[in-house]
Amino acid sequence: MNDSPNSGPRVRRIPEGEDRPRLVCDDCGFILYENPKIIVGAVCTWQDRYLLCRRAIEPRRGFWTMPAGYMELEETVEEGAAREVWEEAYAKVELDGLLAVFSIPRISQVHMIYRARMLTADCAPGPESQEVGLFLWDEIPWDDLAYPNVAWSLEYERDMRGHATFPPRSIRLPHR
């Protein structure tokens, strides 16, 4: 492949031995594999309260969510989940097991959500959060949650309270 601005994979076709269209460079044969994005996050608790962040960015700006975001290169899913909690809520946590795995093919994402205990009640909005809060169960702004998986994750965490081990929940959960 040469270094001109027009070089690189530009033709979408099914390469030999493949079963779906991919971007291919006809000059050198390079195939660009586009793969799902991994989202990592955590349902964080401090005693009987849940940590939520009001989104300061699109999509769903102004709605509440658990701390979560794209996994970075060269980090484990656990490191990514803890990093997202720090970046969005400046909270330090200890992860307590994989809570849920949501495969969302229509947007090419896999969400891996952990259960986490906050090490202190300290939290503050990070650059992607308008505000953060620790909510009792009955105070959670259910009608203003950013995505269905936030409610699914919160509900499953509550169901698993007191259980040291639990199977990860999948996207087949009924909506609240």
Side-chain angles (χ1 to χ4, degrees), residues 4 6-7 13 16 25 44 50 59 68 70 82 86-87 101 116 120 125 128 157 170-171:
S4 75
N6 295 323
S7 67
R13 63 177 167 81
E16 185 177 333
C25 176
C44 305
Y50 292 85
Y70 292 109
W86 177 255
E87 286 180 0
V101 177
T120 69
E128 296 181 1
E157 192 287 331
S170 75
I171 199 156

Side-chain angles (χ1 to χ4, degrees), residues 47 53 57 77 113 135 143 156:
Q47 298 172 352
C53 306
I57 60 172
V77 289
I113 308 301
F135 294 87
D143 293 335
Y156 190 54

Side-chain angles (χ1 to χ4, degrees), residues 22-122:
R22 312 238 187 233
L23 284 175
V24 177
C25 176
D26 282 336
D27 293 334
C28 72
F30 177 82
I31 301 170
L32 179 64
Y33 291 92
E34 299 169 297
N35 302 105
K37 295 288 189 177
I38 298 174
I39 306 297
V40 290
V43 173
C44 305
T45 56
W46 173 253
Q47 298 172 352
D48 57 349
R49 295 178 179 269
Y50 292 85
L51 174 65
L52 294 176
C53 306
R54 187 185 297 263
R55 292 180 58 84
I57 60 172
E58 294 295 349
R60 308 292 287 161
R61 185 177 194 275
F63 287 85
W64 292 92
T65 188
M66 63 197 144
Y70 292 109
M71 186 173 167
E72 296 290 350
L73 296 176
E74 299 180 5
E75 72 181 356
T76 67
V77 289
E78 295 86 358
E79 290 167 342
R83 176 188 49 75
E84 285 292 338
V85 172
W86 177 255
E87 286 180 0
E88 295 188 14
Y90 293 130
K92 297 260 187 199
V93 294
E94 180 176 291
L95 300 182
D96 187 29
L98 181 62
L99 184 67
V101 177
F102 302 118
S103 296
I104 311 172
R106 68 181 171 78
I107 57 173
S108 298
Q109 292 181 355
V110 176
H111 296 213
M112 300 183 74
I113 308 301
Y114 285 82
R115 179 168 75 172
R117 277 184 309 100
M118 294 174 63
L119 299 179
T120 69
D122 297 332

Side-chain angles (χ1 to χ4, degrees), residues 131-148:
E131 62 181 298
V132 297
L134 290 168
F135 294 87
L136 292 169
W137 185 258
D138 293 334
E139 299 171 340
I140 293 172
W142 294 105
D143 293 335
D144 292 322
L145 295 180
Y147 307 104

